[in-house]
Amino acid sequence: MKDKAKLYSLLLIALLALITAGAVSVPRFLAFGPGIAGGLFLALYPWAFGQRPRFSKPVFIIVAAIAGLALASCLWAIDPGDALGRALRMALVVVSGAFLVNLSLLLDVARVRPYLWLLPAAVMTIAVLVFVELECGAPLHRLVRGMAAGEFVPPAKFNRAMVTMALCFFPAMAILRHYVPMKNMVGLIVALVFPALLVTESQSAQLALF
């Protein structure tokens, strides 16, 4: 049982780190990737821990309220049909995300602590990959999308990845300080994050971190 719990914790954190780092090439996957991960690992919870997961009523009440308000906004929208489509997509994202929030309440921090460093590593990986993409002609972006070598890739394509990095930066550093001394952490930030901030066109990311 303990081996299963360790493997479960490792795979969960590794998947979340992979989804985070994937913001460089597939930023839209961030909309539903965490929810898919939460739903999948809730389904695997009995296999790892030998009991069914408990569902938090407050979490799902809050999520239902948000989704309900989004749907209700269609009543006074100028284009109800378009507003309904947007509200349904948002509701799907919010409801699926509730699975991951619920899962986080179930997990013992001690079980996932050995693997949490993967999350700040993923955030820094975003910065490194964005720098490489912007300075080297977006090779990963071209590979993922099957683009021709000479086709222009606007630098703004990586703005969403940089905003994701900026939003995750401070929580990631709060985790990293438990693994790395402060002076080393500052060195990592300067070496891995600042170069991307200097070359990106995302002023939102720059304003958030400078």
Side-chain angles (χ1 to χ4, degrees), residues 86-157:
R86 292 175 179 272
L88 288 173
R89 288 194 295 271
M90 194 205 78
L92 180 61
V93 170
V94 172
V95 171
S96 63
F99 292 125
L100 184 60
V101 175
N102 190 90
L103 183 62
S104 68
L105 297 175
L106 293 174
L107 292 177
D108 185 356
V109 176
R111 291 186 185 277
V112 297
R113 184 176 288 119
Y115 318 112
L116 284 177
W117 63 269
L118 290 170
L119 299 178
V123 173
M124 291 190 175
T125 298
I126 293 176
V128 172
L129 288 177
V130 167
F131 179 79
V132 171
E133 292 284 86
L134 290 174
E135 293 298 299
C136 301
L140 182 60
H141 184 86
R142 295 179 188 281
L143 178 64
V144 171
R145 287 166 174 75
M147 296 175 64
E151 191 172 349
F152 176 69
V153 178
K157 282 285 186 182

Side-chain angles (χ1 to χ4, degrees), residues 1-134:
M1 185 67 71
K2 288 184 178 180
D3 290 339
K4 288 183 179 180
K6 287 182 179 179
L7 179 60
Y8 178 93
S9 301
L10 171 60
L11 291 177
L12 172 61
I13 301 302
L15 179 58
L16 293 177
L18 183 62
I19 291 171
T20 303
V24 177
S25 295
V26 281
R28 290 186 179 181
F29 190 64
L30 288 172
F32 51 88
I36 292 175
L40 173 63
F41 278 85
L42 272 176
L44 292 173
Y45 191 89
W47 169 81
F49 300 103
Q51 59 183 357
R52 291 185 177 182
R54 301 183 307 277
F55 289 91
S56 171
K57 289 183 180 178
V59 169
F60 285 94
I61 289 173
I62 292 171
V63 166
I66 294 172
L69 287 172
L71 294 172
S73 69
C74 301
L75 298 175
W76 55 81
I78 296 175
D79 185 348
D82 181 63
L84 179 61
R86 292 175 179 272
L88 288 173
R89 288 194 295 271
M90 194 205 78
L92 180 61
V93 170
V94 172
V95 171
S96 63
F99 292 125
L100 184 60
V101 175
N102 190 90
L103 183 62
S104 68
L105 297 175
L106 293 174
L107 292 177
D108 185 356
V109 176
R111 291 186 185 277
V112 297
R113 184 176 288 119
Y115 318 112
L116 284 177
W117 63 269
L118 290 170
L119 299 178
V123 173
M124 291 190 175
T125 298
I126 293 176
V128 172
L129 288 177
V130 167
F131 179 79
V132 171
E133 292 284 86
L134 290 174

